[in-house]
Amino acid sequence: MTNAFVAATKRALEAGVDFIEIHGAHGYLLHSFVSPATNTRNDEYGGKSLENRLRWPIEVTRAIRKTIPSTMPLLYRISGTDWLPEGQGWDIHQTIEFAKRLVEEGVDLLDISSGGNHKDQKIPSAPGFQVPLAAAVKKAVPNLLVGAVGLITNGQQANEVCFFFPGEVC
């Protein structure tokens, strides 16, 4: 499967893209590996071990980084939480740990979203509801560019979001 991601990356490069974003959020394939709510595997790519659940998404990230020019930005879209009760799914603590590892693999920007992978999720949808997730990652991994999303609907609100990211260009 990693080869399929690399092949897609090569097609994107041939099409002339300016950056690559790996979509690892919302219950998509890569997120289904990292989340303990959906990864029920019993091998080196699953189980309760965070190391095992991160293994394949890191392999994909590493392979894509090797495929693109070293100067090309690599972005990763991630769910900051599954919005499940504590201990039942992916959460901000695991997101922060993954973010640290993604920086080591050459990811330039982490695009923080959330949810989308479990029927029992309770998403507190409100203006800017995902901004605190992005702010927590930025605080823990200050050398990583972090994008905030989630019902940011106007310019004034976007300017207020910048408050969470001191020193960043907003």
Side-chain angles (χ1 to χ4, degrees), residues 86-156:
E86 188 173 336
Q88 293 183 22
W90 185 251
D91 60 31
I92 191 61
H93 306 292
Q94 294 170 90
T95 300
I96 289 168
E97 189 57 39
F98 192 23
K100 292 174 183 176
R101 295 177 193 197
L102 289 171
V103 167
E104 294 171 1
E105 298 301 332
V107 168
D108 299 296
L109 183 142
L110 201 59
D111 180 15
I112 312 287
S113 190
S114 69
N117 74 320
H118 199 277
K119 65 179 179 57
D120 294 333
Q121 65 190 0
K122 302 285 189 237
I123 300 175
S125 185
F129 73 103
Q130 294 173 139
V131 172
L133 299 169
V137 171
K138 183 62 181 178
K139 182 178 179 183
V141 192
N143 59 326
L144 177 63
L145 292 175
V146 175
V149 300
L151 289 177
I152 300 170
T153 60
N154 61 56
Q156 180 180 347

Coordinates of all heavy atoms in Angstrom, one line a residue, residues 86-156:
E86 N -12.4 9.4 27.0 CA -10.9 9.1 27.3 C -10.6 7.6 27.3 O -11.3 6.8 27.9 CB -10.5 9.7 28.6 CG -9.0 9.7 28.9 CD -8.6 10.5 30.1 OE1 -9.4 11.4 30.5 OE2 -7.6 10.1 30.7
G87 N -9.5 7.3 26.6 CA -9.1 5.9 26.5 C -9.7 5.1 25.4 O -9.3 3.9 25.2
Q88 N -10.7 5.6 24.8 CA -11.4 4.8 23.7 C -11.0 5.1 22.3 O -11.3 4.4 21.4 CB -12.9 5.0 23.9 CG -13.4 4.4 25.2 CD -14.9 4.5 25.2 OE1 -15.6 4.7 24.2 NE2 -15.5 4.5 26.5
G89 N -10.3 6.3 22.1 CA -9.9 6.6 20.8 C -8.7 7.5 20.7 O -8.0 7.6 21.7
W90 N -8.5 8.0 19.6 CA -7.3 8.9 19.3 C -7.6 10.2 20.1 O -8.7 10.7 20.1 CB -7.3 9.2 17.8 CG -6.1 10.0 17.3 CD1 -6.2 11.3 16.9 CD2 -4.7 9.6 17.3 NE1 -4.9 11.7 16.5 CE2 -4.0 10.7 16.7 CE3 -4.1 8.4 17.6 CZ2 -2.6 10.6 16.5 CZ3 -2.7 8.4 17.4 CH2 -2.0 9.5 16.8
D91 N -6.5 10.8 20.7 CA -6.7 12.0 21.5 C -5.6 13.0 21.2 O -4.6 12.6 20.5 CB -6.9 11.7 23.0 CG -5.7 11.0 23.6 OD1 -4.6 11.2 23.1 OD2 -5.9 10.2 24.5
I92 N -5.7 14.1 21.8 CA -4.7 15.2 21.6 C -3.3 14.7 22.1 O -2.3 15.1 21.5 CB -5.1 16.5 22.2 CG1 -4.2 17.7 21.8 CG2 -5.2 16.4 23.8 CD1 -4.2 17.9 20.3
H93 N -3.2 13.9 23.1 CA -1.9 13.5 23.6 C -1.2 12.6 22.6 O 0.0 12.8 22.4 CB -2.0 12.7 25.0 CG -2.8 13.5 26.0 ND1 -2.3 14.7 26.6 CD2 -4.0 13.4 26.5 CE1 -3.1 15.2 27.4 NE2 -4.2 14.4 27.4
Q94 N -1.9 11.7 21.9 CA -1.4 10.9 20.9 C -1.0 11.8 19.7 O 0.0 11.5 19.0 CB -2.3 9.8 20.5 CG -2.6 8.8 21.6 CD -3.7 7.8 21.4 OE1 -3.5 6.8 20.8 NE2 -4.9 8.2 21.7
T95 N -1.9 12.8 19.4 CA -1.6 13.7 18.3 C -0.3 14.4 18.5 O 0.5 14.5 17.5 CB -2.8 14.7 18.1 OG1 -4.0 14.0 17.9 CG2 -2.5 15.7 17.0
I96 N 0.0 14.9 19.7 CA 1.2 15.6 20.0 C 2.4 14.6 19.8 O 3.4 15.0 19.2 CB 1.1 16.2 21.4 CG1 0.2 17.4 21.4 CG2 2.5 16.6 21.9 CD1 -0.2 17.9 22.8
E97 N 2.3 13.4 20.3 CA 3.4 12.5 20.1 C 3.7 12.2 18.6 O 4.8 12.2 18.2 CB 3.1 11.2 20.8 CG 4.3 10.2 20.9 CD 5.5 10.8 21.5 OE1 5.4 11.6 22.5 OE2 6.6 10.5 21.0
F98 N 2.6 12.0 17.9 CA 2.7 11.8 16.4 C 3.3 13.0 15.7 O 4.2 12.9 14.8 CB 1.3 11.4 15.8 CG 1.3 10.9 14.4 CD1 2.5 10.3 13.9 CD2 0.2 11.0 13.7 CE1 2.4 9.8 12.6 CE2 0.1 10.5 12.4 CZ 1.3 9.9 11.8
A99 N 2.9 14.2 16.1 CA 3.4 15.4 15.5 C 4.9 15.5 15.7 O 5.6 15.9 14.8 CB 2.7 16.6 16.2
K100 N 5.4 15.2 16.9 CA 6.9 15.2 17.1 C 7.6 14.2 16.1 O 8.7 14.5 15.6 CB 7.2 14.8 18.6 CG 6.7 15.8 19.6 CD 6.9 15.3 21.0 CE 6.4 16.3 22.0 NZ 6.4 15.7 23.4
R101 N 7.0 13.1 15.9 CA 7.6 12.1 15.0 C 7.5 12.6 13.5 O 8.4 12.3 12.7 CB 7.0 10.7 15.2 CG 7.3 10.2 16.6 CD 6.6 8.9 16.8 NE 6.6 8.6 18.2 CZ 6.4 7.4 18.7 NH1 6.1 6.4 17.9 NH2 6.5 7.2 20.0
L102 N 6.4 13.2 13.2 CA 6.2 13.7 11.8 C 7.3 14.8 11.5 O 7.8 14.9 10.4 CB 4.8 14.2 11.6 CG 3.8 13.1 11.5 CD1 2.4 13.7 11.5 CD2 4.0 12.2 10.3
V103 N 7.6 15.6 12.5 CA 8.7 16.6 12.3 C 10.0 15.9 11.9 O 10.7 16.3 11.0 CB 8.8 17.5 13.5 CG1 10.1 18.3 13.4 CG2 7.6 18.4 13.7
E104 N 10.3 14.8 12.6 CA 11.5 14.1 12.4 C 11.5 13.5 11.0 O 12.6 13.3 10.4 CB 11.7 13.0 13.4 CG 11.9 13.5 14.8 CD 11.8 12.4 15.8 OE1 11.6 11.2 15.5 OE2 12.0 12.7 17.0
E105 N 10.3 13.2 10.4 CA 10.2 12.7 9.1 C 10.1 13.7 8.0 O 10.0 13.4 6.8 CB 9.0 11.7 9.0 CG 9.1 10.6 9.9 CD 10.2 9.7 9.7 OE1 10.8 9.6 8.6 OE2 10.7 9.0 10.7
G106 N 10.2 15.0 8.3 CA 10.3 16.0 7.3 C 9.0 16.7 7.0 O 8.9 17.4 6.0
V107 N 8.0 16.5 7.9 CA 6.7 17.2 7.6 C 6.9 18.7 8.0 O 7.4 19.0 9.1 CB 5.5 16.6 8.5 CG1 4.3 17.4 8.5 CG2 5.2 15.2 7.9
D108 N 6.4 19.6 7.2 CA 6.6 21.0 7.4 C 5.4 21.7 8.0 O 5.6 22.7 8.7 CB 6.8 21.7 6.0 CG 8.1 21.1 5.3 OD1 9.2 21.3 5.9 OD2 7.9 20.5 4.2
L109 N 4.2 21.1 7.8 CA 3.0 21.7 8.4 C 2.0 20.6 8.8 O 1.8 19.7 8.0 CB 2.4 22.7 7.4 CG 1.1 23.5 8.0 CD1 1.1 24.9 7.5 CD2 -0.2 22.8 7.6
L110 N 1.5 20.7 10.0 CA 0.4 19.8 10.4 C -0.9 20.6 10.4 O -1.0 21.6 11.0 CB 0.7 19.3 11.8 CG 0.1 18.0 12.2 CD1 0.5 16.9 11.3 CD2 0.5 17.7 13.7
D111 N -1.9 20.0 9.6 CA -3.2 20.6 9.5 C -4.1 19.9 10.4 O -4.4 18.7 10.2 CB -3.6 20.5 8.0 CG -4.9 21.0 7.7 OD1 -5.5 21.8 8.5 OD2 -5.4 20.7 6.6
I112 N -4.5 20.5 11.5 CA -5.3 19.8 12.5 C -6.8 19.9 12.3 O -7.4 21.0 12.3 CB -5.0 20.4 13.9 CG1 -3.5 20.6 14.2 CG2 -5.6 19.6 15.0 CD1 -2.7 19.4 14.4
S113 N -7.4 18.8 12.1 CA -8.9 18.7 12.0 C -9.3 17.7 13.2 O -8.6 17.6 14.1 CB -9.2 18.1 10.6 OG -10.6 18.2 10.4
S114 N -10.4 17.0 13.0 CA -10.8 16.1 14.0 C -12.0 15.2 13.6 O -12.7 15.5 12.6 CB -11.2 16.8 15.3 OG -12.4 17.5 15.2
G115 N -12.2 14.2 14.4 CA -13.4 13.3 14.2 C -13.5 12.6 12.9 O -12.6 12.6 12.1
G116 N -14.7 12.0 12.7 CA -15.0 11.4 11.4 C -14.8 9.9 11.3 O -15.1 9.4 10.2
N117 N -14.4 9.3 12.4 CA -14.1 7.9 12.2 C -14.9 6.9 13.1 O -14.7 5.7 13.1 CB -12.6 7.6 12.4 CG -12.2 7.6 13.9 OD1 -12.7 8.5 14.6 ND2 -11.4 6.8 14.3
H118 N -15.9 7.4 13.9 CA -16.6 6.5 14.8 C -18.0 7.0 15.0 O -18.2 8.2 15.2 CB -15.8 6.4 16.1 CG -16.2 5.2 16.9 ND1 -17.3 5.2 17.7 CD2 -15.6 4.0 17.0 CE1 -17.3 4.0 18.3 NE2 -16.3 3.3 17.9
K119 N -18.9 6.1 15.0 CA -20.3 6.4 15.2 C -20.7 7.0 16.6 O -21.7 7.7 16.7 CB -21.2 5.2 15.0 CG -21.0 4.1 16.0 CD -21.9 2.9 15.7 CE -21.7 1.8 16.7 NZ -21.9 2.1 18.1
D120 N -19.8 6.8 17.6 CA -20.1 7.3 18.9 C -19.4 8.6 19.2 O -19.5 9.1 20.3 CB -19.7 6.2 20.0 CG -20.5 5.0 19.9 OD1 -21.6 5.0 19.5 OD2 -19.9 3.9 20.3
Q121 N -18.8 9.2 18.2 CA -18.1 10.5 18.5 C -19.2 11.6 18.9 O -20.3 11.6 18.4 CB -17.4 10.9 17.2 CG -18.2 11.2 16.0 CD -17.4 11.4 14.8 OE1 -16.2 11.3 14.7 NE2 -18.1 11.7 13.7
K122 N -18.7 12.4 19.7 CA -19.6 13.6 20.2 C -18.8 14.8 19.9 O -18.0 15.3 20.7 CB -19.9 13.5 21.7 CG -20.6 12.2 22.1 CD -22.0 12.2 21.7 CE -22.7 11.0 22.3 NZ -23.4 10.1 21.4
I123 N -19.0 15.4 18.7 CA -18.3 16.5 18.2 C -18.9 17.8 18.7 O -20.1 18.1 18.4 CB -18.2 16.6 16.7 CG1 -17.5 15.3 16.2 CG2 -17.5 17.8 16.2 CD1 -17.4 15.2 14.7
P124 N -18.2 18.6 19.5 CA -18.8 19.9 20.0 C -18.7 21.0 19.0 O -18.0 22.0 19.2 CB -17.9 20.1 21.3 CG -16.6 19.6 20.9 CD -16.9 18.4 20.0
S125 N -19.4 20.8 17.9 CA -19.3 21.8 16.8 C -19.7 23.2 17.2 O -20.9 23.4 17.6 CB -20.2 21.2 15.7 OG -20.0 22.0 14.5
A126 N -18.8 24.1 17.1 CA -19.0 25.5 17.4 C -18.0 26.3 16.7 O -16.9 25.7 16.3 CB -19.0 25.7 18.9
P127 N -18.1 27.6 16.5 CA -17.1 28.3 15.8 C -15.7 28.1 16.5 O -15.6 28.3 17.7 CB -17.6 29.8 16.0 CG -19.1 29.7 16.0 CD -19.3 28.4 16.8
G128 N -14.8 27.8 15.6 CA -13.4 27.6 16.1 C -13.1 26.4 17.0 O -12.1 26.3 17.7
F129 N -14.0 25.4 17.0 CA -14.0 24.3 17.9 C -12.7 23.5 17.8 O -12.3 22.8 18.8 CB -15.2 23.4 17.9 CG -15.3 22.5 16.6 CD1 -15.0 21.2 16.8 CD2 -15.6 23.0 15.4 CE1 -15.1 20.3 15.6 CE2 -15.7 22.2 14.3 CZ -15.4 20.8 14.4
Q130 N -12.0 23.5 16.7 CA -10.8 22.7 16.6 C -9.5 23.5 16.9 O -8.4 23.0 16.9 CB -10.7 22.1 15.2 CG -11.8 21.1 15.0 CD -11.9 20.5 13.6 OE1 -12.1 19.3 13.5 NE2 -11.8 21.3 12.6
V131 N -9.6 24.8 17.0 CA -8.5 25.7 17.2 C -7.7 25.3 18.5 O -6.5 25.2 18.5 CB -8.9 27.2 17.3 CG1 -7.7 28.1 17.7 CG2 -9.4 27.6 15.9
P132 N -8.4 25.0 19.6 CA -7.6 24.6 20.8 C -6.7 23.3 20.6 O -5.6 23.2 21.1 CB -8.6 24.3 21.9 CG -9.8 25.2 21.5 CD -9.8 25.1 20.0
L133 N -7.2 22.4 19.7 CA -6.3 21.2 19.3 C -5.1 21.7 18.6 O -4.0 21.2 19.0 CB -7.1 20.3 18.4 CG -8.4 19.7 19.0 CD1 -9.2 19.0 17.9 CD2 -8.1 18.8 20.2
A134 N -5.2 22.6 17.7 CA -4.0 23.1 16.9 C -3.1 23.8 17.9 O -1.9 23.7 17.8 CB -4.5 23.9 15.8
A135 N -3.7 24.6 18.8 CA -2.9 25.4 19.7 C -2.1 24.5 20.6 O -0.9 24.8 21.0 CB -3.8 26.4 20.5
A136 N -2.7 23.4 21.1 CA -2.0 22.4 21.9 C -0.8 21.8 21.2 O 0.3 21.6 21.8 CB -3.0 21.4 22.4
V137 N -1.0 21.5 20.0 CA 0.1 20.9 19.2 C 1.2 21.9 19.0 O 2.4 21.6 19.2 CB -0.4 20.4 17.8 CG1 0.8 20.0 16.9 CG2 -1.3 19.2 18.0
K138 N 0.8 23.2 18.7 CA 1.8 24.2 18.5 C 2.6 24.5 19.7 O 3.9 24.6 19.7 CB 1.2 25.5 18.0 CG 2.1 26.6 17.7 CD 3.1 26.2 16.6 CE 4.1 27.3 16.3 NZ 5.0 26.9 15.2
K139 N 2.0 24.5 20.9 CA 2.7 24.7 22.2 C 3.7 23.6 22.4 O 4.8 23.8 22.9 CB 1.6 24.8 23.3 CG 2.2 25.0 24.6 CD 1.2 25.2 25.7 CE 1.9 25.4 27.1 NZ 0.9 25.5 28.1
A140 N 3.3 22.3 22.1 CA 4.1 21.2 22.4 C 5.2 21.0 21.4 O 6.3 20.4 21.7 CB 3.3 19.9 22.5
V141 N 5.0 21.4 20.1 CA 6.0 21.3 19.1 C 6.2 22.6 18.4 O 5.7 22.8 17.3 CB 5.5 20.2 18.1 CG1 6.6 19.8 17.1 CG2 4.9 18.9 18.8
P142 N 6.9 23.5 19.0 CA 6.9 24.9 18.5 C 7.7 25.1 17.2 O 7.4 26.1 16.5 CB 7.7 25.7 19.7 CG 8.3 24.6 20.5 CD 7.5 23.4 20.3
N143 N 8.5 24.1 16.8 CA 9.2 24.2 15.6 C 8.4 23.7 14.4 O 8.9 23.7 13.2 CB 10.6 23.5 15.6 CG 10.4 22.0 15.9 OD1 9.5 21.6 16.7 ND2 11.3 21.2 15.4
L144 N 7.2 23.4 14.6 CA 6.3 22.9 13.5 C 5.3 23.9 13.2 O 4.7 24.5 14.0 CB 5.6 21.6 14.0 CG 4.6 20.9 13.1 CD1 5.2 20.5 11.8 CD2 3.9 19.8 13.8
L145 N 5.1 24.2 11.9 CA 4.0 25.0 11.4 C 2.7 24.2 11.6 O 2.6 23.0 11.3 CB 4.1 25.4 10.0 CG 5.3 26.3 9.7 CD1 5.4 26.5 8.2 CD2 5.2 27.7 10.4
V146 N 1.7 24.9 12.2 CA 0.4 24.2 12.5 C -0.7 25.0 11.9 O -0.8 26.3 12.0 CB 0.2 24.1 14.0 CG1 -1.1 23.5 14.4 CG2 1.3 23.2 14.6
G147 N -1.6 24.3 11.2 CA -2.8 25.0 10.7 C -4.0 24.6 11.5 O -4.2 23.5 12.0
A148 N -4.9 25.6 11.7 CA -6.1 25.5 12.5 C -7.3 25.6 11.6 O -7.4 26.4 10.7 CB -6.2 26.5 13.6
V149 N -8.3 24.7 11.7 CA -9.5 24.7 10.9 C -10.7 24.4 11.8 O -10.5 24.2 13.0 CB -9.4 23.6 9.8 CG1 -8.3 23.8 8.9 CG2 -9.4 22.2 10.5
G150 N -11.9 24.5 11.3 CA -13.1 24.1 12.0 C -14.0 25.3 12.3 O -13.9 26.0 13.4
L151 N -14.9 25.6 11.4 CA -15.9 26.6 11.5 C -15.2 28.0 11.8 O -15.7 28.8 12.7 CB -16.9 26.3 12.6 CG -17.9 25.2 12.2 CD1 -18.8 24.9 13.4 CD2 -18.7 25.6 11.0
I152 N -14.2 28.3 11.1 CA -13.6 29.6 11.1 C -14.2 30.3 9.9 O -13.9 30.0 8.7 CB -12.0 29.6 11.0 CG1 -11.5 28.8 12.2 CG2 -11.5 31.0 10.9 CD1 -10.0 28.5 12.0
T153 N -15.2 31.1 10.1 CA -16.1 31.6 9.0 C -15.9 33.0 8.6 O -16.6 33.4 7.6 CB -17.6 31.4 9.5 OG1 -17.8 32.2 10.7 CG2 -17.8 29.9 9.8
N154 N -15.1 33.8 9.2 CA -14.9 35.2 8.8 C -13.5 35.7 9.2 O -12.8 35.1 10.0 CB -16.0 36.1 9.3 CG -16.1 36.1 10.8 OD1 -15.1 36.5 11.5 ND2 -17.2 35.8 11.4
G155 N -13.2 36.8 8.6 CA -11.9 37.4 8.8 C -11.6 37.8 10.3 O -10.5 37.6 10.8
Q156 N -12.6 38.3 10.9 CA -12.4 38.7 12.3 C -12.1 37.5 13.2 O -11.1 37.5 14.0 CB -13.6 39.4 12.9 CG -13.4 39.8 14.3 CD -14.6 40.6 14.9 OE1 -15.5 41.0 14.2 NE2 -14.7 40.7 16.2

